[in-house]
Each structure stands twice: as C-alpha cells, then as structure tokens.
Amino acid sequence: MSRPLTDQEKRKQISVRGLAGAENVSALKKNFNRHLHFTLVKDRNVANPRDYYFALAHTVRDHLVGRWIRTQQHYYEHDPKRIYYLSLEFYMGRTLQNTMVNLGLQNACDEAVYQLGLDMEELEEIEEDAGLGNGGLGRLAACFLDSMATLGLAAYGYGIRYEFGIFNQKIANGWQVEEADDWLRYGNPWEKARPEYMIPVYFYGKVQATPQGAEWVDTQLVLALPYDTPVPGYKNNTCNTMRLWSAKAPNEFNLKDFNVGGYIQAVLDRNLAENISRVLYPNDNFFEGKELRLKQEYFVVAATLQDIIRRFKSSKFGCRDAVRTSFDAFPEKVAIQLNDTHPSLAIPELMRLFLDVEKLDWDTAWDLTVRTCAYTNHTVLPEALERWPVHLLQNLLPRHLDIIYEINQRHLNRVSAMFPGDLDRMRRMSLVEEGSVKRINMAHLCIVGSHAVNGVAQIHSDIIKDTVFHDFYEMDPHKFQNKTNGITPRRWLVLCNPGLAEVIAERIGEDYITNLDQLKKLLNFVNDEALIRDIAKVKQENKLKFARYLENECKVKINPNSMFDIHVKRIHEYKRQLLNCLHVITLYNRIKKEPNKQWVPRTVMIGGKAAPGYHMAKMIIKLITSVGDVINNDPAVGDRLKLIFLENYRVSLAEKVVPAADLSEQISTAGTEASGTGNMKFMLNGALTIGTMDGANVEMAEEAGEENLFIFGMRVPDVERLDREGYNARSYYERIPELRQAIDQLNSGYFSPKQPDLFKDIVNMLMNHDRFKVFADYEDYIRCQESVSALYKNTREWTRKVIHNIAGSGKFSSDRTISQYAREIWGVEPSSLKIPPPDVPRE
C-alpha cells in the first residue's frame, strides 16, 4: 500500500493555513535557536527532542504575548462587560498546535522546523496533555474558551491548577490500572505564574454576631496563587486568559501553634493546605461527598470572586486602586457562568462579600447576585447531583451555611406565598433536604440564585423542565433556557483533520472555519463525483495513518480496509458499552456459524477511562479486553472482526481517532446523556452515527436528516413506559436466541476460561437490576447494525450520507453555542472586530 502523506507534507499543499513567508521562516528559526541557547541554556550538540519542543513552544509563545498584553489593554480602555466561566475542569489537551493554527503560524513553523532538520510531528507528540478534566464537561469548557476568544468576548476561564490531572490508564492483564498524571514534571511553557495577584482564602472557624453584623473568625488561611494561560482566538489577535489557582500555605502556617520542637513537623504540615490543588477527582457523572472536594470547590470560588471584584473596582489598565465604589453596575459589567453545580458556592460567597465585606443590605446583595449568576445543568442522573452534608458545611464554611439557610427561608416564603398550604411542594423545593443526614441540594441553590438556568441539548432542557426541576419551572418559567453544546471547529477539524479541512475549503472557501453554518453549501455537491471521491480518499488516508499509529504505539495490527466502528467516551453503565459488547459477541457467533459467508469486515474500537472506585465500569473494561482476546486470536474469524480496547483515551488520542472513524457509537439509554460532544466531533469529521434519540443526537438527526443517521431503540416515552410497567430483562433473554447465547457464554466463562465466574456480576446486573435497559434495545440495535454493514458495502452511497452529515454539522460549532449564551444569558454581543496585531502601532 502506498505511504500516505504526513500531516506536514499535506499542509505544504494546503491553503487553510496561509502561506509561509520566507521572512517569517527565517525569524522563527532565529528565535528557535535563541530560545534553545538563552532560555533553555542548551547547545544543539547536547539538546534532545524535549529541548527542541520547549524551544519551539517558547518561539510560538512569543507571538502570543504581545497579543495577550494588547487584548488586556483593549479591555481596560473599552471596559466591556466581562464574562467569567467558572469550572472545576478545563480539559485542554495540548496547546502547541492549537496556538499555531489560531495564530496562522502553522505553515511557517512547519517550514522552519523542517529547515532545522527536525520533525514537527515528533515535537508535537512530546507535549503532555493538560488533562484537567474527566470528559465532556471539562472538554466543553475548553471549546468554550476557544470560541469566546474567537468571538472577541472579554472572557476569563477560572479553575484549579491541579498538579495531577486525570490519571493515565494502563491496561495490565486486561484490567485498568491507574497511574498518576505528573503532567508538570518537565514544566509548562504555556503558563505564567502571577504571585502579585495572590489571594487569601479562609476555611473553618466560627461565626460571631457583632453590632456591625456577622463576623467569620478563627479561620485557617490558605493562599491562592494564580497561573495564567493565554487563550488565542482564531486569527483575530484577541488573546484571553485562563486563570488557574494553585494552593499555597502561608509562611506562618501551623508554626504559631507549635513550640520550637515541632518546627519540622509544622513545615511538613504545609502539605495539608497545598493538597487542595493536588489532584483532580476522577469521577464523571458521580458525586463523591469528600471534604477535600468541598475545599476545592470553595477554594476556586473564593479566589475567583475576590479577583472579579478587584477587577471590577479598579478596571483601569495597570491600576490597582479602586476606581468604582458603587456596586449598582455590577451585573452590567460582570457575568458569572457556573459550569454545573461544582462552583455553586459562588452564590453564598458573593452574598458574603456583599454583606460582610462591602456592607450592602440583603435585598440589594441578593438582587445583584441573581442578576450576575447563571447556571448550566449537565446531568439528570440522580447519583451525579451534588447534595452536601450539612455537618461538612457547618465545619468548613459556617458563615456560608448561615447564608444558605437565610436564602432558603426567603425562597420558601416565596413558595408558600405562591402555593399556599402546599407543604409537599415546599419539601420538594427546599434547598435543605431532611433525612438521616441533613443535606444541601446544590442544584436547588443554583436555580434560586441564578437568573438563567440552561440544559445542554433541547431534549435535556425539556426533561429538566418536565421532571427534575419541574416545580422550579412552574414558579419561574422565564429562567429556563436551552443551549445545545458545540465543539470548536479549529481543534476538531482544522487541527486534527487538515486533509478534510482542505477538501472543504476547495469547494466553499475558508470562511466556514469561523462560520460553520457555511458547511450547508456542501449540499450543492452531494452528487459531485469528485467530492465523493475526495472525501472517501481523505477518510482512507486517516484510517491508514491511525492503523500505523496503533501498530507503532500499541503493537496491534488492524485491517485498514475494515469498517472502523468507534465507541470512545468515559466507561459508564448509562453509555452502554455493554450493548456494543453484546453486538460484537453476536457478530462473532454469526461468523463462527457461517464462516463462508461474505462478511463486511469490522474493527470495533472501544476506549475510555473508568472511575477508579466504579467496580462495574472496571468490570466492563475487563469484559471488553477478554472478549477481544478470544475473537482476535480465533483463526476462523481472521481479520473480518477485531475488538480493540484503546488504552488511555484522552484529548490527543481523540484527535487521531476521530478523523479515522467510519461509524460513531452514541448508544446511551434515551433520556440519560445530557448532550454528548463526541457525537458532534465524529459527525464533523465524516463518520456516520449509530445512536439512540438521546442528547444532541436528536438535533443531529434534525440537521442532517434522520435518514442519514442510523437511529434505533427506545425514545424517552418508551423508557418511561417501561419504568412504569416494570422492565423485565429475563423476558428478552428467553425470547431472543442470539441474546441468550451471548449471555450464556458470559455466564459460563466462554470468554474467561481460566476464571469461569469472572463475569457473573455483569450477567447478574443485566438480568436483575439494569437501570439502563440494555436488553430492551438489543434487538433493534442488532438490526440497525445490519443496515450499517449493508450500506458500508456501497462506498458511494455511504459517502453521500457522510456529506449530508458534514453539511448538517454547522449548528454544532461552539461559536454558535457561545453566541447564544452571550446574547440570551450574558447580555453581550459577539464582535468580529480584529484587535491590531502587536507590530502595528496603537492609535
């Protein structure tokens, strides 16, 4: 087979990146050598590839800094409303290539690196992923930062600078093993520490009444040290800031509590304070009520709000003095978006600052708080909703608990005024849940304390209004909105799939990169043989490239002419990796039964991390690897079917997997996946979706035409009906022979001959307490997969559907999502204004 072009060779033929000017290339080479020599203190003779990566990163970063400073100056001069996106997770991935794309430097850097005798792709692979997120929620935050900068919004991402991000996943003997992600080990060239903006954060203590009001005393102090990372917009010279807080113990930490003999221990105990920013909790869609996590949530909120108020008061470039003294204009100048309930303490903390520090009265403070804050809900799974035990809050944040009680009292007064005598409604709507352990419902706090509440896909926003928060919707219908998620087309097309980006640009120009709706123009070419051929060719090249990657990195050989059937996301029962597994087993049994039939060859790849404490998710990984071991080593099957588990799925691996996929698996039980964003990435990159009518799949089917997706399974009303009538898994098992065969194989140890009982837990769950009703959708899923195989044989018809999907994916740009947040929640208008570049003198 002919060697596919490398991305670097491809880019040399491509217009999307702009041409590399000779003077640019020579300046880049000069700066590269300068950084190697003076920043890294290295000679070319002793430098290693990591040194070259750092020299290149610093060279590219130089192009950011002037834009960064100029953007901040621009904001101080024009004083726009500032948007603060508060998130406990920012799943950024790698920064080098994204920066080159957004600054229009990629071709020049490619050429410079090539002339220096180095390999760009090798240097890019050295960069560690910034894995400061678990999955969808954290990756969404990263896409939003890109879009906010590209749309010229004065926006800031605020979060925690975790020393250890999401764990690295190793597969040992088929089981997941977690390894610490020491991503800062070699330093991070993209961040800048800002000790001059260090902020005090207080914990514990008690509240005492004084004539001036409540006072929070006897607290413990931790310092929040900010690290800033530049966030460049796409070719508009805007460069926003992501500010992540790191916890530092004050110098007197614990020392005053010790006599001289305890000095060493007192210094060692500084770790207790600094542990706050040590590690990301690795749970996706699951609430773990640990004190350290509550500390993290308050830490980011307390530091951020002080920073916001400082900036609101001074609001003059380079000025630290308070210029504004009145808070009347606060909601006109500040918007705070809460990314799920993790930063929900922003509401009582903002109240505390207004009441105790700024001495505002309650009604004024509450009005300002509600008009400033808005809340995004990300899940309806009950186990994911944050409900903090009162005793934890009482101990850690006594003043905030008092404020929450007062918010609740006033809220319940309002409920009882609107619905007199409805005690059950008051119980349901209370922020305080009575029970064996008294808890605070953080979602209720967010709804009451925000002026806008949104879900992340239409079906999810409807479910919120109809069920989970129906009482709140009845009381304040104007608060509830939908904002369907999106992804940035810069990273998820231009960066990861340059071949496809170019094929599109050749047909419709390059403006689609910042206006993804223009992809609709591709519908004019849906029968154009040249486009059909070009898109199929790009897909085949991407598959060859990914097959090579798997062979080199994972020592796995796959057939690049097989259908790449991809299921990558966190491992969770509701995402139903088990349904996929049952299909693979069924396909295997069919091939064994009729070995001479013409089967459409498939390589099924499943990837994703399981939360370390989630037993069933870890069992699911073991099942996938075990089934793979049997199938992949069965000579009767050959390369007609392979099942691969993709180890350590992360952003940088997604950038390789997504462009290579033929089929995208989005098969959650209807009503459980709030939106999904992986589904959008695959759609944009020319994969067809097999999915349920859940999350954003519903809108994808609307945009591309349902006939251009493979939709199967129950809809939300079907699931609700089964819940009412009672879901009986055994009836499906007894009625469907192929399902029974697969389950019996799992039960008997067919896929685990050395441990016949290994998968008893999985079988027991599927048969007796499967909340996500895998068997109910099995038959329709298998049928739907048959039509996938049938269509795959017809490359032309398959590719026509692909073009319909790419053309319909415009809605799923995070630029559209952020424009809607800006106009409908934050009250600001996106701007296409280009800030002058650093080398152009300011007026």
Side-chain angles (χ1 to χ4, degrees):
M1 73 196 184
S2 68
R3 183 182 71 83
L5 295 174
T6 68
D7 275 6
Q8 204 249 336
E9 289 165 330
K10 223 176 277 173
R11 285 199 291 261
K12 286 194 168 180
Q13 311 170 346
I14 278 180
S15 65
V16 177
R17 298 306 187 307
L19 297 168
E23 66 290 351
N24 272 357
V25 172
S26 107
L28 286 166
K29 283 160 64 180
K30 197 165 127 198
N31 286 339
F32 178 93
N33 285 320
R34 182 170 57 81
H35 278 298
L36 194 63
H37 203 77
F38 294 108
T39 310
L40 303 172
V41 199
K42 284 285 166 83
D43 188 274
R44 277 294 297 249
N45 304 324
V46 295
N48 62 30
R50 178 164 279 106
D51 298 321
Y52 294 138
Y53 158 71
F54 273 97
L56 179 58
H58 280 102
T59 304
V60 171
R61 181 175 166 229
D62 289 346
H63 288 257
L64 275 175
V65 173
R67 291 171 169 85
W68 200 8
I69 292 169
R70 186 160 272 199
T71 300
Q72 302 316 310
Q73 280 175 334
H74 178 82
Y75 293 159
Y76 275 102
E77 285 164 5
H78 294 83
D79 195 29
K81 184 170 186 177
R82 287 171 160 84
I83 314 302
Y84 295 101
Y85 196 82
L86 270 63
S87 181
L88 267 282
E89 303 184 17
F90 285 96
Y91 202 173
M92 301 300 286
R94 292 171 175 164
T95 296
L96 173 61
Q97 197 184 351
N98 186 69
T99 305
M100 294 189 299
V101 165
N102 279 13
L103 263 44
L105 280 175
Q106 200 165 13
N107 261 351
C109 287
D110 271 340
E111 186 56 38
V113 166
Y114 175 72
Q115 289 183 21
L116 288 161
L118 302 169
D119 179 334
M120 179 61 96
E121 286 190 48
E122 187 189 338
L123 297 189
E124 287 169 348
E125 284 298 315
I126 289 166
E127 182 175 359
E128 301 275 353
D129 278 49
L132 309 185
N134 277 288
L137 174 142
R139 185 53 233 170
L140 183 79
C143 284
F144 280 4
L145 291 183
D146 180 90
S147 284
M148 289 188 287
T150 298
L151 292 167
L153 298 175
Y156 301 76
Y158 272 96
I160 294 179
R161 180 180 179 265
Y162 300 106
E163 204 174 307
F164 296 91
I166 186 67
F167 60 87
N168 284 317
Q169 179 193 57
K170 295 272 182 282
I171 300 296
N173 192 21
W175 296 94
Q176 167 177 299
V177 180
E178 297 87 26
E179 223 173 57
D181 165 43
D182 192 2
W183 71 291
L184 294 167
R185 183 175 38 217
Y186 299 104
N188 173 5
W190 305 106
E191 68 181 8
K192 170 85 181 80
R194 288 301 185 98
E196 67 274 27
Y197 291 112
M198 190 119 70
I199 285 179
V201 176
Y202 301 95
F203 295 98
Y204 303 110
K206 59 180 191 281
V207 181
Q208 61 188 26
T210 73
Q212 289 75 44
E215 209 177 327
W216 184 18
V217 296
D218 300 340
T219 51
Q220 283 186 23
L221 167 67
V222 177
L223 297 173
L225 170 64
Y227 284 80
D228 287 357
T229 301
V231 178
Y234 182 72
K235 292 186 180 176
N236 64 350
N237 298 321
T238 295
C239 190
N240 285 341
T241 302
M242 174 176 68
R243 177 162 285 184
L244 302 180
W245 301 103
S246 183
K248 293 285 286 178
N251 282 337
E252 70 277 12
F253 187 80
N254 265 7
L255 285 172
K256 55 185 180 305
D257 308 334
F258 286 84
N259 60 16
V260 176
Y263 162 72
I264 294 289
Q265 191 53 48
V267 172
L268 297 181
D269 282 346
R270 293 168 63 85
N271 272 335
L272 298 175
E274 296 178 356
N275 277 338
I276 291 174
S277 56
R278 196 80 68 203
V279 60
L280 167 75
Y281 273 86
N283 300 319
D284 194 64
N285 275 303
F286 183 79
F287 170 60
E288 189 176 7
K290 294 282 196 290
E291 183 181 53
L292 178 59
R293 171 67 174 194
L294 185 58
K295 272 188 176 166
Q296 289 182 339
E297 293 188 355
Y298 179 63
F299 174 75
V300 65
V301 152
T304 300
L305 285 177
Q306 286 181 71
D307 215 30
I308 289 173
I309 288 176
R310 171 193 60 76
R311 197 178 285 119
F312 168 78
K313 284 181 169 179
S314 65
S315 205
K316 223 191 181 83
F317 191 63
C319 159
R320 306 293 296 275
D321 305 326
V323 178
R324 286 198 181 95
T325 49
S326 161
F327 280 92
D328 294 351
F330 196 75
E332 277 75 62
K333 288 297 177 188
V334 174
I336 295 173
Q337 191 68 37
L338 306 176
N339 193 25
D340 217 345
T341 54
H342 314 144
S344 57
L345 287 165
I347 290 164
E349 171 66 3
L350 192 52
M351 285 298 287
R352 184 188 74 82
L353 291 170
F354 284 156
L355 297 167
D356 299 2
V357 180
E358 305 296 342
K359 303 298 180 193
L360 303 180
D361 65 275
W362 180 280
D363 289 334
T364 304
W366 184 244
D367 176 62
L368 294 176
T369 298
V370 173
R371 285 165 55 208
T372 301
C373 295
Y375 158 56
T376 301
N377 172 277
H378 280 275
T379 179
V380 295
L381 295 179
E383 66 269 32
L385 297 175
E386 290 195 296
R387 294 152 61 247
W388 283 106
V390 162
H391 65 83
L392 264 184
L393 282 161
Q394 180 68 67
N395 178 40
L396 193 71
L397 301 167
R399 178 65 181 127
H400 297 76
L401 185 61
D402 287 351
I403 290 171
I404 289 169
Y405 280 153
E406 179 68 20
I407 291 172
N408 193 42
Q409 188 54 58
R410 290 168 181 249
H411 160 61
L412 290 180
N413 291 346
R414 187 170 164 246
V415 175
S416 87
M418 284 182 74
F419 303 95
D422 193 341
L423 292 177
D424 199 46
R425 182 183 294 262
M426 287 181 68
R427 183 189 52 73
R428 293 195 309 264
M429 292 184 75
S430 176
L431 275 52
V432 184
E433 296 182 350
E434 305 291 346
S436 54
V437 178
K438 204 170 171 182
R439 297 173 180 273
I440 305 297
N441 184 313
M442 303 312 270
H444 290 185
L445 172 63
C446 284
I447 295 170
V448 171
S450 297
H451 68 278
V453 176
N454 72 282
V456 289
Q458 191 62 59
I459 183 177
H460 168 232
S461 297
D462 290 342
I463 288 171
I464 282 175
K465 292 193 295 193
D466 296 345
T467 57
V468 202
F469 303 134
H470 180 66
D471 293 322
F472 292 90
Y473 174 65
E474 275 196 323
M475 196 155 106
D476 290 309
H478 61 275
K479 277 191 184 184
F480 287 78
Q481 303 191 10
N482 173 55
K483 296 286 168 279
T484 300
N485 283 163
I487 55 169
T488 166
R490 273 71 64 185
R491 185 178 294 265
W492 295 112
L493 180 59
V494 178
L495 181 156
C496 71
N497 202 344
L500 181 59
E502 174 58 10
V503 164
I504 295 170
E506 282 170 357
R507 300 322 195 276
I508 67 170
E510 290 175 26
D511 290 351
Y512 73 88
I513 297 169
T514 50
N515 180 6
L516 207 59
D517 276 332
Q518 295 203 7
L519 291 177
K520 286 196 175 76
K521 293 180 184 171
L522 289 174
L523 291 174
N524 300 327
F525 299 91
V526 80
N527 295 309
D528 179 80
E529 297 305 328
L531 180 65
I532 291 171
R533 192 179 57 243
D534 286 353
I535 283 186
K537 178 167 175 268
V538 165
K539 180 63 73 181
Q540 198 49 40
E541 283 178 359
N542 291 337
K543 289 172 70 174
L544 283 167
K545 187 174 182 198
F546 189 60
R548 265 213 322 276
Y549 170 83
L550 283 184
E551 206 172 323
N552 294 338
E553 297 299 312
C554 318
K555 311 295 173 238
V556 180
K557 261 188 104 64
I558 60 174
N559 170 12
N561 297 314
S562 62
M563 182 201 305
F564 283 14
D565 173 345
I566 316 272
H567 196 178
V568 283
K569 48 186 78 251
R570 286 296 291 255
I571 309 293
H572 200 299
E573 286 163 89
Y574 88 85
K575 294 178 186 281
R576 298 203 295 192
Q577 284 89 358
L578 284 172
L579 181 57
N580 194 344
C581 245
L582 290 175
H583 170 244
V584 172
I585 293 170
T586 302
L587 214 47
Y588 171 68
N589 289 332
R590 287 180 177 183
I591 294 171
K592 295 282 280 183
K593 195 171 160 193
E594 298 183 81
N596 298 323
K597 194 175 154 187
Q598 281 293 298
W599 298 97
V600 173
R602 260 191 210 236
T603 304
V604 179
M605 302 182 226
I606 303 179
K609 293 174 181 177
Y614 188 173
H615 167 73
M616 185 55 68
K618 292 188 131 176
M619 285 305 307
I620 290 169
I621 291 176
K622 177 60 174 170
L623 175 65
I624 295 163
T625 55
S626 303
V627 172
D629 283 343
V630 170
I631 294 177
N632 301 345
N633 294 303
D634 189 331
V637 174
D639 63 4
R640 292 181 288 186
L641 181 62
K642 288 269 184 276
L643 175 58
I644 313 284
F645 187 82
L646 296 173
E647 185 175 89
N648 202 31
Y649 182 66
R650 58 200 185 282
V651 177
S652 55
L653 182 54
E655 290 165 6
K656 300 175 173 67
V657 174
V658 167
D662 290 306
L663 187 68
S664 157
E665 300 267 355
Q666 309 295 337
I667 59 176
S668 52
T669 312
T672 61
E673 185 73 271
S675 167
T677 47
N679 46 3
M680 303 168 185
K681 291 162 196 167
F682 285 109
M683 181 187 196
L684 180 60
N685 281 276
L688 297 187
T689 301
I690 183 167
T692 49
M693 276 298 197
D694 196 23
N697 296 357
V698 177
E699 288 158 80
M700 285 163 50
E702 271 169 28
E703 295 294 307
E706 198 174 319
E707 68 282 4
N708 293 308
L709 283 77
F710 298 98
I711 299 290
F712 73 93
M714 298 178 287
R715 316 275 166 127
V716 170
D718 303 320
V719 176
E720 289 168 348
R721 194 181 66 248
L722 259 191
D723 280 328
R724 281 195 307 274
E725 294 169 1
Y727 165 65
N728 176 6
R730 183 162 292 279
S731 64
Y732 298 92
Y733 168 83
E734 283 166 357
R735 185 170 61 74
I736 307 164
E738 285 186 309
L739 174 60
R740 186 183 326 131
Q741 181 186 7
I743 294 300
D744 290 349
Q745 285 170 316
L746 294 185
N747 212 15
S748 66
Y750 183 96
F751 294 106
S752 52
K754 291 186 178 146
Q755 293 170 270
D757 289 346
L758 185 57
F759 299 122
K760 286 272 195 270
D761 279 3
I762 292 184
V763 171
N764 176 42
M765 183 274 292
L766 287 171
M767 294 294 283
N768 302 309
H769 35 91
D770 173 13
R771 291 165 57 202
F772 303 106
K773 308 177 176 61
V774 169
F775 290 3
D777 274 344
Y778 169 84
E779 224 173 354
D780 204 19
Y781 181 55
I782 300 291
R783 229 191 337 261
C784 196
Q785 288 281 19
E786 288 167 5
S787 53
V788 171
S789 290
L791 185 69
Y792 190 73
K793 287 193 254 195
N794 184 339
T795 306
R796 184 176 183 278
E797 280 311 300
W798 179 279
T799 309
R800 283 182 73 251
K801 281 199 195 294
V802 164
I803 295 169
H804 276 285
N805 273 270
I806 297 171
S809 59
K811 175 178 182 177
F812 305 107
S813 166
S814 48
D815 297 347
R816 186 268 317 152
T817 311
I818 288 297
S819 298
Q820 290 182 336
Y821 275 95
R823 294 186 176 115
E824 296 162 27
I825 296 180
W826 306 328
V828 294
E829 192 57 34
S831 151
S832 53
L833 176 84
K834 272 195 180 173
I835 293 175
D839 49 358
V840 173
R842 300 171 70 223
E843 271 100 62

